[in-house]
């Protein structure tokens, strides 16, 4: 009724929206939902497709680095935590605690580098040292990259 064609929200907000709606599809939108700000489960994805929208996408990124990935939520069928491959202008790596690249499938620390990524936190050298090193941003997430470059988050 309102002409909504795109919703961007966290899994928590989307769950609340679904709880507040009747079980029918009278309130569906003719567009897509982008889920960001938390892990999307296959169960919630399926409920969104059934009751709210025609397409669901999962996004991964941060305030510091911006958008990193965007994938159709079918990627969750490859495994919980899957968020897709990095955008072309984003370098995405998984490394061990010493900063060495890990082979595909190995779980380690996620690090991100972009031309637009911030390089430090203002007036917070402790947090800067924890999250930034040699031009890389370490968001604090762990995950693994597939041979094709798709990221699966293990822990946020």
């Amino acid at each position: 009724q309102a002409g909504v064609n795109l919703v961007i929200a966290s899994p928590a907000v989307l769950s609340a929206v679904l709880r507040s709606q009747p079980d029918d599809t009278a309130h569906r939108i003719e567009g897509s939902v982008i889920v960001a700000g938390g892990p999307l489960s296959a169960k919630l994805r399926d409920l969104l497709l059934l009751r709210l929208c025609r397409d669901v996408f999962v996004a991964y990124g941060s305030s510091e680095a911006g958008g990193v990935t965007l994938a159709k939520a079918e990627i969750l069928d490859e495994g919980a935590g899957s968020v897709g491959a990095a955008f072309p202008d984003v370098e995405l790596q998984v490394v061990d605690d010493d900063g060495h690249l890990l082979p595909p499938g190995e779980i380690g620390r996620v690090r991100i580098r972009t031309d637009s990524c911030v390089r430090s936190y203002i007036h917070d050298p402790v947090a800067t040292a924890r999250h930034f090193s040699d031009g890389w941003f370490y968001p604090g997430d762990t995950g693994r990259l597939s041979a094709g470059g798709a990221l699966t988050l293990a822990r946020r």
Side-chain angles (χ1 to χ4, degrees), residues 45-129:
R45 173 206 59 198
D46 294 344
L47 284 172
L48 291 167
L49 290 169
L50 178 68
R51 297 184 47 212
L52 186 64
C53 61
R54 64 176 179 208
D55 290 308
V56 178
F57 295 86
V58 58
Y60 174 69
S62 68
S63 298
E64 296 88 347
V68 175
T69 72
L70 180 67
K72 288 199 77 148
E74 285 81 7
I75 198 164
L76 294 173
D77 295 334
E78 296 177 16
S82 296
V83 294
F87 293 124
D89 63 335
V90 174
E91 290 180 78
L92 177 63
Q93 295 181 345
V94 174
V95 297
D96 64 18
D97 289 335
D98 295 322
H100 299 106
L101 282 175
L102 291 174
E106 293 283 324
I107 294 177
R109 297 175 67 198
V110 174
R111 71 181 181 184
I112 302 161
R113 184 164 53 192
T114 70
D115 288 340
S116 59
C117 186
V118 300
R119 303 288 182 233
S120 65
Y121 294 119
I122 297 173
H123 306 299
D124 195 340
V126 173
T128 295

Side-chain angles (χ1 to χ4, degrees), residues 8 28 33-34 40 69 71 82-83 98 104 107 132 155-156:
I8 303 171
R28 288 181 63 83
V33 169
I34 297 175
L40 174 65
T69 72
S82 296
V83 294
D98 295 322
I107 294 177
F132 297 91
R155 188 181 63 212
R156 297 195 79 183

